Amino acid sequence: MKRYISRITNWPTPFPFRNLNFFMVDKERNFGSKPTKEPINNEEGNQISDMLIDGFGRKHTYLRLSLTERCNLRCQYCMPAEGVDLTPSPKLLTHNEILRLANLFVTYGVDKIRLTGGEPTVRKDIHDICSDLSSLKGLKTLAITTNGITLAKKLPMLKQCGITNLNISLDTLVPSKFEFMTRRKGHHKVIESINAAIDVGYNPVKVNCVVMRGFNDDEICDFVNLTVDKPINVRFIEFMPFDGNVWDVKKLIPYSEMLDTVVRQRNFRP
């Protein structure tokens, strides 16, 4: 993070201050040094610093912020059963540091922020963070990716605090499979959160589904059926390898095969 901030601001490393608390929120002026080139406008006419444009001309105006490493599930493809070693609290970004960094990026042209984790809704100050982030001048979209376990009861306040887009993770429509995969109960809570999101007006509600051969590949068309009568977008995700999830290429179902399954099968409602 410090290396990236140094690259954006042109500040030398080590930084000329003790910690990130020396960032000051100031909506009337930019942080750090000025861009070396004139800002470029995006499709909406907003200015984007050349520091957010890569060598291929792509504009990187979408920032993901992890609010916590903690999670109330233990999904087999995500972490070991015993969990992971957590970073000591003093080394985690505080509420003010999150706001200061977000304001820095928005100042330079970021217009969409997604809050992730771990599970972002387990963070105690989630509502305050969302309220402050949504007030940043120039930010158009404040999204959150959640497992939905505690979302339903927090959703009205999150919407009021500025959450504009929702992604809810759900890998199976079968409660017993859910408990096996996540090592926790709570399938009904996720379904409740999806319905609650629809009820309060989110359209679409995006559902993220990691597809694994031999586990939920027989449910692909069942997930497609969710989109027939409700404002739901299902996003099928390939099973990806990383430390601790015992990845096996035999469980991988590529996107092309998922698409063929949907096109080929006729046992779901058109």
Side-chain angles (χ1 to χ4, degrees):
M1 177 62 76
K2 288 184 177 180
R3 288 195 300 270
Y4 191 58
I5 294 172
S6 177
R7 179 172 173 266
I8 289 179
T9 61
N10 287 331
W11 285 333
T13 53
F15 288 165
F17 42 75
R18 294 188 300 277
N19 55 51
L20 294 178
N21 284 324
F22 279 78
F23 280 108
M24 295 302 294
V25 178
D26 186 344
K27 296 183 179 179
E28 301 301 323
R29 56 196 176 99
N30 291 336
F31 293 91
S33 60
K34 297 289 184 180
T36 56
K37 301 178 182 178
E38 289 298 318
I40 298 175
N41 290 345
N42 64 8
E43 289 78 2
E44 291 76 29
N46 299 317
Q47 290 187 337
I48 302 174
S49 168
D50 67 293
M51 299 176 188
L52 297 181
I53 302 174
D54 65 21
F56 296 95
R58 295 172 296 192
K59 304 176 182 67
H60 297 275
T61 59
Y62 177 14
L63 175 67
R64 298 173 69 95
L65 287 173
S66 176
L67 299 185
T68 180
E69 298 169 306
R70 297 181 182 277
C71 188
N72 43 16
L73 297 179
R74 293 292 182 270
C75 298
Q76 295 189 33
Y77 60 77
C78 186
M79 67 169 66
E82 65 275 11
V84 296
D85 293 333
L86 299 176
T87 303
S89 295
K91 294 186 177 181
L92 297 177
L93 289 174
T94 66
H95 176 162
N96 287 337
E97 289 169 345
I98 290 171
L99 182 59
R100 291 162 186 165
L101 284 173
N103 194 58
L104 169 66
F105 280 94
V106 171
T107 297
Y108 276 91
V110 164
D111 59 13
K112 178 178 180 179
I113 292 178
R114 177 172 298 279
L115 304 178
T116 67
E119 170 51 39
T121 62
V122 303
R123 181 150 174 160
K124 295 180 179 179
D125 56 352
I126 179 69
H127 293 127
D128 292 335
I129 290 174
C130 291
S131 180
D132 287 340
L133 289 177
S134 65
S135 68
L136 293 177
K137 183 179 180 180
L139 186 67
K140 292 181 170 56
T141 302
L142 182 60
I144 190 170
T145 297
T146 169
N147 60 31
I149 293 294
T150 65
L151 180 65
K153 61 183 180 181
K154 297 183 178 182
L155 190 54
M157 183 60 71
L158 286 173
K159 184 176 178 65
Q160 183 177 333
C161 290
I163 291 293
T164 60
N165 295 61
L166 281 176
N167 287 59
I168 301 176
S169 299
L170 180 64
D171 301 319
T172 178
L173 300 175
V174 181
S176 59
K177 283 187 180 181
F178 179 90
E179 186 173 344
F180 169 78
M181 175 54 63
T182 65
R183 305 186 180 100
R184 298 289 190 274
K185 297 181 183 295
H187 182 268
H188 67 286
K189 294 181 180 179
V190 183
I191 298 298
E192 179 184 353
S193 292
I194 293 173
N195 291 328
I198 295 172
D199 290 341
V200 299
Y202 285 98
N203 185 359
V205 176
K206 296 180 180 179
V207 174
N208 293 348
C209 176
V210 177
V211 182
M212 291 159 283
R213 195 180 306 279
F215 173 68
N216 61 352
D217 53 321
D218 60 334
E219 298 184 64
I220 290 177
C221 290
D222 294 331
F223 273 96
V224 171
N225 281 337
L226 292 177
T227 70
V228 175
D229 299 321
K230 296 181 179 180
I232 294 175
N233 282 0
V234 177
R235 301 155 63 87
F236 295 116
I237 301 172
E238 293 180 353
F239 180 39
M240 301 298 292
F242 55 87
D243 291 344
N245 73 344
V246 194
W247 185 82
D248 185 350
V249 68
K250 295 180 181 179
K251 296 180 181 180
L252 171 66
I253 300 181
Y255 164 77
S256 58
E257 185 176 334
M258 298 181 206
L259 184 59
D260 287 343
T261 298
V262 175
V263 172
R264 185 176 62 254
Q265 293 192 22
R266 300 305 181 195
N267 61 345
F268 62 89
R269 290 176 294 168

